[in-house]
Amino acid sequence: MSQEGKEIIEPLAKYPTKVMIQGRITLISTIREYYHINLGDFIEVIIRKHTPEGTLRGHFLARVYDKGYMTIPKGLRDELRIQKGDFVEVLIIDVLRPEDLLGEKAKLLRGVLRGKYEILTPEQESTTRLLTNI
């Protein structure tokens, strides 16, 4: 417990990483595997940038893209003076999965994210639910 009686948040994982172009950072594969994090999941993140003046911190929600890429929001990068090539510390606070939030409809969204499609017969077309009908 902290001094104010609030519970201290213990991160699920913490690791350093290098910032790539357009603020991309990578969620390392062992963490993705351990927590079963997939393309399209959302990660609650605390980011730290250590400077000679002290540690700068930010908090955001990131969507996980192909190969575990996430993006630090532009405004946060500007505020914390984070640039391509900087090293930052990433603290994973929580994992939010679309299926936990949306139930069965999340399967359709996962298909969109993965570029899935199917060829239909005229009979299938008349019984298929499209995304617009969700």
Side-chain angles (χ1 to χ4, degrees):
M1 296 285 249
S2 70
Q3 293 173 341
E4 298 91 32
K6 294 181 182 177
E7 188 176 337
I8 295 174
I9 297 171
E10 186 68 32
L12 298 175
K14 179 173 89 168
Y15 64 96
T17 192
K18 191 172 188 178
V19 178
M20 297 176 281
I21 191 166
Q22 297 180 335
R24 281 191 307 215
I25 56 176
T26 302
L27 180 58
I28 58 177
S29 61
T30 53
I31 293 172
R32 291 193 324 261
E33 184 180 341
Y34 184 79
Y35 288 106
H36 308 287
I37 299 170
N38 297 303
L39 173 69
D41 287 343
F42 293 89
I43 306 296
E44 184 180 0
V45 177
I46 291 176
I47 196 107
R48 295 178 181 162
K49 179 182 178 187
H50 300 288
T51 70
E53 299 82 34
T55 301
L56 305 172
R57 295 169 173 83
H59 175 248
F60 63 99
L61 191 64
R63 187 172 130 208
V64 177
Y65 292 95
D66 195 29
K67 299 179 185 172
Y69 290 128
M70 302 182 294
T71 302
I72 303 169
K74 172 89 169 85
L76 183 58
R77 291 194 318 261
D78 291 346
E79 291 274 339
L80 300 184
R81 301 183 306 274
I82 295 173
Q83 299 177 3
K84 177 185 172 198
D86 286 349
F87 284 93
V88 294
E89 190 174 40
V90 177
L91 288 80
I92 305 299
I93 304 304
D94 200 5
V95 178
L96 304 167
R97 293 178 178 81
E99 56 269 18
D100 295 341
L101 304 171
L102 301 172
E104 285 296 309
K105 292 181 180 180
K107 289 181 183 178
L108 291 171
L109 296 175
R110 285 228 186 259
V112 169
L113 290 172
R114 292 190 174 116
K116 286 189 173 183
Y117 62 89
E118 61 184 321
I119 305 299
L120 300 175
T121 65
E123 295 77 29
Q124 289 171 315
E125 179 182 12
S126 64
T127 61
T128 299
R129 291 186 56 212
L130 300 175
L131 288 176
T132 56
N133 294 330
I134 297 176

